[in-house]
Amino acid sequence: FGVDIFFVISGYIITQILRRDLVKPLSLFLLDFYARRIRRILPTALLIIVVITLASHILLGPITGADTARDGIFASLFIANIHFNKLAIDYFASGLPQPILQHFWSLSIEEQFYLVWPLLFFVLARWKFGAKIVAVCITVGSFVFALNQISTDAATTYFSTFSRIWELGVGALLAFSNVTRPNQKFSALGLISLIIYSSTLHSSQDFLGFPALLVIALTVLAVITSEGNRFLQSKVMVWIGDSSFVLYLIHRPIVTG
């Protein structure tokens, strides 16, 4: 369930950046945004895809290597979630081998969202509450879509961009709200509750429904109250935060290996 937390935080941070850069002209606004995304994501992601593909071919044989190479193409184009959705792979299928690059689905969803959101944000921000209203509509619409899809096609709902956008939308709305309530006790309570609740949930696509709301709410609480939190500002947590992108991309090959 770390992915769901990541989506909220990502939506929050990126929307804050977009709001800060709104004074720039459109061309510079988009150029700066995508240049930062490319520098942060593309070199590391491509390197890991290549290394994993070569390693799977050497260690697991040419058949698995070819499959991984195919998955790597979709992952490098940030449409891995669409690819795995078409293959109807059950992310939680017990006892079945899962693609080594399957975890790139979440990165694909994030980048698909940010392919559209900056331009949409820039245009709508010219109208009072325009961006906020659209963010609310996207968030609510995506959540309703997720609830509907779970009952009809739970397996592929997990990978669907449309059933995940609401989590990024919550983060965007949090950025719009400008709400910060620094509080050590509530910050600790939010983090501890988030860890405990997440650990009690079973890996199931049904999580995308109402059970996800509590995880998202606890994440929002943690973000709102986090300013001045000594634990989150410790050197270890700062290092984890700075390294989180790389750690996420390499965790699955290490675990499955």
Side-chain angles (χ1 to χ4, degrees):
F1 310 112
V3 168
D4 307 274
I5 298 170
F6 163 76
F7 280 154
V8 175
I9 295 175
S10 178
Y12 173 71
I13 293 175
I14 293 299
T15 303
Q16 279 191 320
I17 293 173
L18 293 176
R19 294 184 69 197
R20 181 197 66 196
D21 291 349
L22 195 56
V23 295
K24 300 176 182 178
L26 177 59
S27 58
L28 186 58
F29 176 84
L30 295 177
L31 181 63
D32 285 353
F33 176 81
Y34 289 116
R36 285 194 298 265
R37 299 300 294 172
I38 290 172
R39 285 196 301 267
R40 171 171 169 75
I41 290 175
L42 206 56
T44 303
L46 290 178
L47 175 62
I48 290 175
I49 289 171
V50 170
V51 170
I52 290 175
T53 300
L54 291 175
S56 65
H57 184 86
I58 295 170
L59 300 176
L60 302 176
I63 295 178
T64 301
D67 288 341
T68 304
R70 177 199 59 190
D71 297 341
I73 293 173
F74 289 97
S76 63
L77 295 173
F78 299 113
I79 52 174
N81 64 312
I82 299 173
H83 167 62
F84 292 124
N85 205 330
K86 279 189 174 183
L87 295 179
I89 292 175
D90 185 350
Y91 193 86
F92 299 111
S94 58
L96 295 176
Q98 298 168 359
I100 302 173
L101 294 174
Q102 189 167 291
H103 61 303
F104 271 77
W105 69 268
S106 59
L107 182 61
S108 296
I109 288 178
E110 185 197 28
E111 296 314 307
Q112 289 162 25
F113 181 71
Y114 293 129
L115 185 64
V116 177
W117 179 234
L119 178 59
L120 192 62
F121 173 85
F122 186 90
V123 174
L124 293 171
R126 270 37 189 175
W127 289 275
K128 188 176 182 179
F129 304 123
K132 296 178 184 177
I133 292 172
V134 170
V136 169
C137 293
I138 290 173
T139 302
V140 174
S142 172
F143 182 69
V144 172
F145 175 82
L147 291 178
N148 179 67
Q149 285 295 104
I150 288 170
S151 61
T152 58
D153 193 3
T156 58
T157 301
Y158 190 91
F159 294 108
S160 172
T161 303
F162 301 109
S163 62
R164 290 287 185 171
I165 285 179
W166 73 273
E167 297 174 330
L168 288 152
V170 168
L173 291 173
L174 182 58
F176 283 128
S177 71
N178 290 319
V179 176
T180 55
R181 297 289 187 272
N183 189 300
Q184 292 285 336
K185 292 182 179 179
F186 278 103
S187 180
L189 177 64
L191 290 172
I192 294 171
S193 299
L194 191 58
I195 294 171
I196 294 175
Y197 180 64
S198 298
S199 64
T200 61
L201 291 170
H202 296 291
S203 295
S204 169
Q205 290 89 348
D206 290 339
F207 170 75
L208 280 172
F210 287 107
L213 284 177
L214 183 54
V215 168
I216 301 305
L218 290 172
T219 302
V220 170
L221 175 63
V223 171
I224 290 174
T225 60
S226 63
E227 187 176 336
N229 186 305
R230 290 187 294 272
F231 172 70
L232 293 178
Q233 293 177 351
S234 65
K235 291 183 179 180
V236 173
M237 294 305 296
V238 170
W239 178 84
I240 292 175
D242 291 339
S243 308
S244 59
F245 178 62
V246 175
L247 293 175
Y248 177 75
L249 292 187
I250 65 174
H251 87 281
R252 183 173 177 81
I254 292 174
V255 171
T256 56

